[in-house]
Amino acid sequence: MSSSFVIEGGYPLKGTIIPQGAKNEALQVISACLLTDEEVHITNIPNILDVQNLIGLLHDMGVRVEQHNDHDYTFQASELNLNYLESDEFVSRCSSLRGSVLTIGPLLARFHRAVVARPGGDKIGRRRLDTHFLGFSKLGAHYDAIKGRDVYELKADVLKGTYMLLDEASVTGTANIIMAAVLSEGTTKIYNAACEPYIQQLCHLLNNMGANITGIASNYLTIVGVEKLHGATHRILPDMIEVGSFIGMAAMVGDGITIKDVKLDSLGIIPDIYDRLGIKVKETEDGIFIPRYDRYEVSSFIDGTIMTIADAPWPGLTPDLISVFIVVATQAKGSVLIHQKMFESRLFFVDKLIDMGAQIILCDPHRAVVVGHDHSLRLRAGRMSSPDIRAGIALLIAALSADGESRIANIEQIDRGYERIEERLSELGAHIKREED
């Protein structure tokens, strides 16, 4: 059964909110438990749909899952049922959960075989797996497409370390290759590796488990293979995407919002991009504070040309916040060009904002010009549907600022990435409720 959010816009939000653990990190470090037969204890796990689906998948693969509370788990992959990988049920579940792709590297490393279905997830254009497979091939694995099942089977008699230059700095591709390489024979050098905080955290966990990884936080990793990994304890970072979403929400509809337990250096360029829109993030002892903004003005470049905001691999701007910056820019003073370089279809949701009264020119599938209202004209409420996680939260922020009652359908997409979002926003003063369709 699907659900919708009903939002009465125009109510200022005030108070304190705590971000959840990072979704993307959680998917990686939970998958890493497959690399050892000992216990891996992980805390600050976000209680969201994508993560719960991955935990459920691992449980059905034979991983012992012990839940201490909503955000605290112990995993032990000592008795896996590898025959489950051949089942139609496994294939079906993988096809609806993109995070399942992160099981390939650990399974190849430890058991020398893996099965993967074409993964699901957000409908944001082509998200290929070539980087993963090319990396595995470099390590000595080979793969075959299973006709009639839309499944790939990967096998390796032995994985051997090597040098590789990744064709793109794929986050999940880098994570997968790292997890395959830690148990390989010899030394693996990965150039053009993704270096997001999620990857750094994965490397720290693996080193705590006995791996030998150097170059962490750079795009050149060196991994000396080891024979065996052991258990470890790990705490997941606050989710920088959720923090970035809350900053935008606070600027548009906030009356002073504190975001606690923020690891500021893991936000990268996010505060600087908000500064370009005229929004200052103030550091506090235990987080950050965003004051009330009756107006904020877009800067221009030094030569006077229009401000451009573009996504890029870390330490550039994460593409997951592009949709939020578009919404925030609709109420700014001035104009800004938003350039979404890394995905093909993430800007198509702006039609819904245009229906709400936003002044946006969609130049092509990758670029949009936003002409801000300068808070002189509020967005109109409307009925809409969430196409993916990040567009969903952007539409929710727009609805909170709009005049009247909005309804957002397909909120299961939002649930995939944001934990109890309606309850947490209600505590700040939002008028939002969940209804079954």
Side-chain angles (χ1 to χ4, degrees):
M1 181 178 294
S2 61
S3 303
S4 295
F5 281 144
V6 178
I7 305 106
E8 184 67 33
Y11 290 90
L13 309 187
K14 186 179 181 68
T16 298
I17 193 165
I18 299 175
Q20 66 190 27
K23 171 202 168 188
N24 292 339
E25 179 188 339
L27 297 174
Q28 294 176 24
V29 297
I30 290 171
S31 298
C33 79
L34 294 169
L35 287 163
T36 179
D37 61 1
E38 297 185 18
E39 291 185 348
V40 179
H41 181 204
I42 304 176
T43 61
N44 202 33
I45 293 176
N47 185 16
I48 55 177
L49 195 58
D50 273 9
V51 171
Q52 289 302 322
N53 285 341
L54 178 62
I55 292 173
L57 180 67
L58 295 184
H59 175 270
D60 290 345
M61 289 170 61
V63 176
R64 182 177 67 82
V65 178
E66 183 178 355
Q67 181 177 359
H68 308 293
N69 60 47
D70 284 349
H71 308 101
D72 188 338
Y73 287 77
T74 297
F75 305 92
Q76 186 171 11
S78 56
E79 298 181 6
L80 289 187
N81 175 17
L82 296 181
N83 291 329
Y84 181 66
L85 305 183
E86 308 292 340
S87 68
D88 290 339
E89 179 184 342
F90 176 78
V91 171
S92 175
R93 293 174 69 176
C94 287
S95 65
S96 61
L97 173 64
R98 183 165 182 82
S100 64
V101 75
L102 289 162
T103 64
I104 307 174
L107 290 173
L108 264 181
R110 188 170 161 208
F111 301 103
H112 304 288
R113 59 180 287 229
V115 175
V116 63
R118 188 186 301 275
D122 290 329
K123 305 304 180 186
I124 53 176
R126 184 172 57 94
R127 303 176 76 178
R128 59 190 180 88
L129 296 178
D130 297 58
T131 302
H132 304 243
F133 282 31
L134 291 171
F136 297 144
S137 296
K138 288 273 191 179
L139 293 171
H142 56 90
Y143 57 91
D144 296 299
I146 307 302
K147 293 181 179 180
R149 298 190 70 203
D150 207 15
V151 165
Y152 292 98
E153 185 176 67
L154 298 95
K155 293 182 179 179
D157 294 329
V158 62
L159 294 177
K160 292 188 176 181
T162 185
Y163 169 84
M164 64 182 78
L165 172 63
L166 301 188
D167 63 330
E168 64 173 353
S170 162
V171 175
T172 54
T174 300
N176 241 339
I177 295 166
I178 290 170
M179 288 189 283
V182 291
L183 294 180
S184 298
E185 294 181 1
T187 299
T188 300
K189 295 179 182 291
I190 308 173
Y191 195 32
N192 195 31
C195 51
E196 273 81 353
Y198 319 128
I199 294 291
Q200 298 173 36
Q201 286 286 96
L202 173 65
C203 290
H204 290 314
L205 168 61
L206 293 173
N207 278 350
N208 288 338
M209 294 169 67
N212 185 349
I213 305 171
T214 55
I216 299 172
S218 77
N219 69 346
Y220 189 62
L221 296 173
T222 300
I223 304 166
V224 180
V226 298
E227 290 187 3
K228 185 178 175 62
L229 296 182
H230 52 71
T233 296
H234 179 80
R235 180 173 177 81
I236 293 173
L237 286 174
D239 194 314
M240 68 173 176
I241 311 302
E242 190 169 75
V243 173
S245 302
F246 291 157
I247 294 172
M249 178 189 69
M252 280 197 75
V253 296
D255 189 20
I257 291 179
T258 297
I259 308 173
K260 289 186 64 174
D261 298 338
V262 173
K263 189 171 171 52
L264 193 58
D265 59 0
S266 73
L267 296 182
I269 201 173
I270 294 171
D272 296 323
I273 299 298
Y274 274 114
D275 187 63
R276 296 182 191 179
L277 296 181
I279 298 161
K280 305 291 184 182
V281 175
K282 300 182 178 181
E283 186 174 4
T284 64
E285 288 185 3
D286 58 352
I288 55 177
F289 176 73
I290 298 86
R292 177 188 178 97
Y293 278 95
D294 293 318
R295 69 182 322 198
Y296 42 89
E297 184 171 355
V298 180
S299 305
S300 59
F301 287 116
I302 293 174
D303 62 0
T305 55
I306 185 173
M307 176 56 60
T308 300
I309 293 175
D311 61 342
W314 181 271
L317 177 65
T318 170
D320 286 341
L321 281 175
I322 286 291
S323 55
V324 173
F325 280 109
I326 290 175
V327 170
V328 175
T330 65
Q331 291 301 322
K333 179 182 179 181
S335 300
V336 59
L337 171 64
I338 306 290
H339 193 171
Q340 166 63 274
K341 299 177 180 178
M342 296 175 64
F343 293 102
E344 295 172 347
S345 307
R346 264 191 168 160
L347 294 188
F348 290 141
F349 87 103
V350 302
D351 286 348
K352 301 174 177 61
L353 297 178
I354 293 171
D355 290 341
M356 297 175 76
Q359 298 183 93
I360 302 175
I361 303 167
L362 186 60
C363 307
D364 55 45
H366 293 276
R367 295 178 301 162
V369 175
V370 184
V371 181
H373 289 159
D374 193 17
H375 284 287
S376 62
L377 180 66
R378 285 175 59 184
L379 298 177
R380 298 186 297 270
R383 298 178 69 92
M384 58 204 89
S385 180
S386 173
D388 62 72
I389 300 175
R390 308 310 176 184
I393 199 67
L395 293 173
L396 178 54
I397 294 171
L400 289 170
S401 73
D403 185 13
E405 183 180 276
S406 296
R407 189 178 190 92
I408 303 176
N410 196 31
I411 59 171
E412 290 75 19
Q413 288 286 353
I414 302 175
D415 290 336
R416 288 178 47 219
Y418 293 85
E419 179 180 338
R420 299 186 301 106
I421 190 65
E422 75 275 22
E423 298 175 31
R424 296 157 73 202
L425 295 185
S426 293
E427 291 172 357
L428 296 177
H431 288 216
I432 176 174
K433 60 183 179 181
R434 180 185 295 259
E435 290 186 356
E436 301 297 330
D437 292 334

Coordinates of all heavy atoms in Angstrom, one line a residue, residues 390-430:
R390 N 15.9 12.1 -3.4 CA 16.4 13.5 -3.3 C 15.4 14.5 -3.8 O 15.2 15.6 -3.3 CB 17.8 13.6 -3.9 CG 18.8 12.6 -3.5 CD 18.8 12.5 -1.9 NE 19.7 11.4 -1.5 CZ 19.9 11.0 -0.3 NH1 19.3 11.6 0.7 NH2 20.8 10.0 0.0
A391 N 14.8 14.2 -5.0 CA 13.7 15.1 -5.5 C 12.5 15.1 -4.5 O 11.9 16.1 -4.3 CB 13.2 14.6 -6.9
G392 N 12.3 14.0 -3.8 CA 11.2 13.9 -2.9 C 11.4 14.8 -1.7 O 10.5 15.5 -1.3
I393 N 12.6 14.9 -1.1 CA 12.8 15.8 0.0 C 12.8 17.2 -0.5 O 12.3 18.1 0.2 CB 14.2 15.5 0.7 CG1 14.2 16.1 2.1 CG2 15.4 16.0 -0.1 CD1 13.2 15.5 3.1
A394 N 13.2 17.5 -1.7 CA 13.2 18.9 -2.3 C 11.7 19.3 -2.4 O 11.4 20.4 -2.1 CB 13.9 18.9 -3.6
L395 N 10.9 18.4 -2.9 CA 9.5 18.8 -3.0 C 8.8 19.0 -1.7 O 7.9 19.8 -1.5 CB 8.7 17.7 -3.8 CG 9.1 17.5 -5.3 CD1 8.4 16.3 -5.9 CD2 8.7 18.8 -6.1
L396 N 9.3 18.2 -0.7 CA 8.7 18.4 0.7 C 9.1 19.7 1.2 O 8.3 20.4 1.8 CB 9.3 17.3 1.6 CG 8.9 17.3 3.0 CD1 7.4 17.4 3.2 CD2 9.4 16.1 3.8
I397 N 10.4 20.2 1.0 CA 10.8 21.5 1.4 C 10.0 22.6 0.7 O 9.5 23.6 1.3 CB 12.3 21.7 1.2 CG1 13.1 20.7 2.1 CG2 12.7 23.1 1.4 CD1 14.6 20.7 1.7
A398 N 9.7 22.4 -0.6 CA 8.9 23.3 -1.3 C 7.5 23.4 -0.8 O 6.9 24.5 -0.6 CB 8.9 23.0 -2.8
A399 N 6.9 22.3 -0.4 CA 5.6 22.2 0.1 C 5.5 22.9 1.5 O 4.5 23.6 1.8 CB 5.1 20.8 0.2
L400 N 6.5 22.8 2.3 CA 6.6 23.5 3.6 C 6.5 25.0 3.5 O 6.0 25.7 4.3 CB 7.8 23.0 4.4 CG 7.8 21.6 4.9 CD1 9.2 21.2 5.4 CD2 6.8 21.4 6.0
S401 N 7.1 25.5 2.3 CA 7.1 26.9 2.1 C 5.9 27.5 1.4 O 5.8 28.7 1.2 CB 8.4 27.3 1.4 OG 8.4 26.9 0.0
A402 N 5.1 26.6 0.8 CA 4.1 27.0 -0.1 C 2.9 27.5 0.6 O 2.7 27.3 1.8 CB 3.7 25.8 -1.0
D403 N 2.0 28.2 -0.2 CA 0.8 28.7 0.3 C -0.3 27.7 0.1 O -0.7 27.5 -1.1 CB 0.5 30.0 -0.4 CG -0.7 30.7 0.1 OD1 -1.2 30.4 1.2 OD2 -1.2 31.7 -0.6
G404 N -0.8 27.1 1.2 CA -1.9 26.1 1.1 C -1.5 24.7 1.4 O -0.4 24.5 1.8
E405 N -2.4 23.8 1.0 CA -2.1 22.4 1.4 C -1.6 21.6 0.1 O -2.3 21.6 -0.9 CB -3.4 21.7 1.8 CG -3.3 20.3 2.3 CD -4.6 19.7 2.8 OE1 -4.9 19.9 4.0 OE2 -5.3 19.0 1.9
S406 N -0.5 21.0 0.3 CA 0.1 20.1 -0.8 C 0.0 18.7 -0.4 O -0.1 18.3 0.8 CB 1.6 20.5 -0.9 OG 1.7 21.8 -1.4
R407 N 0.0 17.9 -1.4 CA 0.0 16.4 -1.2 C 1.1 15.8 -2.1 O 1.1 16.0 -3.3 CB -1.4 15.8 -1.6 CG -1.6 14.4 -1.2 CD -2.9 13.9 -1.6 NE -3.2 12.5 -1.0 CZ -3.8 12.3 0.1 NH1 -4.2 13.3 0.9 NH2 -4.0 11.1 0.6
I408 N 2.0 15.0 -1.4 CA 3.1 14.3 -2.1 C 2.8 12.8 -2.1 O 2.8 12.2 -1.0 CB 4.4 14.7 -1.5 CG1 4.6 16.2 -1.5 CG2 5.5 14.0 -2.3 CD1 5.9 16.6 -0.8
A409 N 2.6 12.2 -3.2 CA 2.4 10.8 -3.3 C 3.8 10.0 -3.5 O 4.8 10.7 -3.7 CB 1.5 10.4 -4.4
N410 N 3.7 8.7 -3.4 CA 4.9 7.9 -3.6 C 6.0 8.2 -2.6 O 7.2 8.2 -2.9 CB 5.4 8.0 -5.0 CG 6.4 6.9 -5.4 OD1 6.3 5.8 -4.9 ND2 7.4 7.2 -6.3
I411 N 5.6 8.5 -1.4 CA 6.6 8.9 -0.4 C 7.5 7.7 0.1 O 8.4 8.0 0.9 CB 5.9 9.6 0.8 CG1 4.9 8.7 1.5 CG2 5.3 10.9 0.4 CD1 4.4 9.2 2.8
E412 N 7.2 6.5 -0.4 CA 8.1 5.4 -0.1 C 9.5 5.7 -0.6 O 10.5 5.3 0.0 CB 7.6 4.1 -0.7 CG 6.3 3.6 -0.1 CD 5.0 4.4 -0.4 OE1 5.1 5.1 -1.4 OE2 4.0 4.2 0.3
Q413 N 9.6 6.5 -1.7 CA 10.9 7.0 -2.1 C 11.6 7.8 -1.1 O 12.8 7.7 -0.9 CB 10.7 7.8 -3.4 CG 10.3 7.0 -4.7 CD 11.5 6.1 -5.2 OE1 12.6 6.3 -4.7 NE2 11.2 5.3 -6.1
I414 N 10.9 8.7 -0.4 CA 11.5 9.5 0.6 C 11.9 8.7 1.8 O 12.9 8.8 2.4 CB 10.5 10.7 1.1 CG1 10.1 11.5 -0.1 CG2 11.1 11.5 2.2 CD1 9.1 12.6 0.2
D415 N 11.0 7.7 2.2 CA 11.3 6.8 3.3 C 12.6 6.0 3.0 O 13.2 5.6 4.0 CB 10.1 5.8 3.5 CG 8.9 6.5 4.0 OD1 9.0 7.5 4.6 OD2 7.8 5.9 3.8
R416 N 12.9 5.8 1.8 CA 14.2 5.0 1.5 C 15.4 5.7 2.0 O 16.4 5.1 2.3 CB 14.3 4.8 0.0 CG 13.4 3.8 -0.6 CD 13.6 3.7 -2.1 NE 15.0 3.6 -2.4 CZ 15.6 4.2 -3.5 NH1 14.9 5.0 -4.3 NH2 16.9 4.0 -3.7
G417 N 15.3 7.1 2.2 CA 16.5 7.8 2.6 C 16.4 8.7 3.8 O 17.4 9.2 4.3
Y418 N 15.2 8.9 4.3 CA 15.0 9.8 5.4 C 14.2 9.2 6.5 O 13.0 8.7 6.2 CB 14.3 11.1 4.9 CG 15.2 11.9 4.0 CD1 15.3 11.7 2.7 CD2 16.0 13.0 4.5 CE1 16.1 12.4 1.8 CE2 16.9 13.7 3.7 CZ 16.9 13.4 2.3 OH 17.7 14.1 1.5
E419 N 14.7 9.1 7.7 CA 14.1 8.4 8.8 C 13.0 9.2 9.5 O 13.3 10.3 10.0 CB 15.2 7.9 9.8 CG 14.7 7.2 11.0 CD 15.8 6.8 11.9 OE1 17.0 6.7 11.5 OE2 15.5 6.5 13.1
R420 N 11.8 8.7 9.6 CA 10.7 9.3 10.4 C 10.7 10.8 10.1 O 10.5 11.6 11.0 CB 10.9 9.1 11.9 CG 10.9 7.7 12.3 CD 11.0 7.5 13.9 NE 12.1 8.2 14.4 CZ 12.1 9.4 15.0 NH1 11.0 10.0 15.2 NH2 13.2 9.9 15.5
I421 N 10.8 11.2 8.8 CA 10.9 12.6 8.5 C 9.7 13.4 8.9 O 9.9 14.5 9.4 CB 11.2 12.8 7.0 CG1 11.7 14.2 6.7 CG2 10.0 12.3 6.1 CD1 13.0 14.6 7.3
E422 N 8.5 12.9 8.8 CA 7.3 13.7 9.2 C 7.3 13.9 10.7 O 6.9 15.0 11.1 CB 6.0 13.0 8.7 CG 5.6 11.8 9.4 CD 6.2 10.5 9.0 OE1 7.3 10.6 8.4 OE2 5.6 9.5 9.2
E423 N 7.7 12.9 11.5 CA 7.7 13.1 12.9 C 8.8 14.1 13.4 O 8.5 15.0 14.2 CB 8.0 11.8 13.6 CG 7.0 10.7 13.4 CD 7.4 9.4 14.0 OE1 8.1 9.4 15.0 OE2 7.1 8.3 13.4
R424 N 9.9 14.0 12.8 CA 11.0 15.0 13.1 C 10.7 16.4 12.7 O 11.0 17.3 13.5 CB 12.3 14.5 12.5 CG 12.7 13.1 13.1 CD 13.7 12.4 12.1 NE 15.0 12.9 12.1 CZ 15.8 12.8 11.1 NH1 15.5 12.1 10.0 NH2 17.0 13.3 11.2
L425 N 10.1 16.6 11.6 CA 9.8 17.9 11.1 C 8.6 18.5 11.9 O 8.5 19.7 12.2 CB 9.5 17.9 9.6 CG 10.6 17.6 8.7 CD1 10.2 17.8 7.2 CD2 11.8 18.4 9.0
S426 N 7.7 17.6 12.3 CA 6.5 18.0 13.2 C 7.0 18.6 14.5 O 6.5 19.5 15.0 CB 5.6 16.9 13.4 OG 4.9 16.5 12.2
E427 N 8.1 18.0 15.0 CA 8.7 18.5 16.3 C 9.2 19.9 16.1 O 9.4 20.6 17.1 CB 9.8 17.5 16.8 CG 9.2 16.2 17.2 CD 10.3 15.2 17.5 OE1 11.5 15.5 17.3 OE2 10.0 14.1 17.9
L428 N 9.5 20.3 14.9 CA 10.0 21.7 14.6 C 8.9 22.6 14.4 O 9.1 23.8 14.2 CB 11.0 21.7 13.4 CG 12.3 20.9 13.6 CD1 13.1 21.0 12.3 CD2 13.1 21.5 14.7
G429 N 7.7 22.1 14.2 CA 6.5 23.0 14.0 C 5.9 22.8 12.6 O 4.9 23.5 12.3
A430 N 6.3 21.8 11.8 CA 5.7 21.6 10.5 C 4.4 21.0 10.7 O 4.1 20.2 11.6 CB 6.6 20.7 9.7

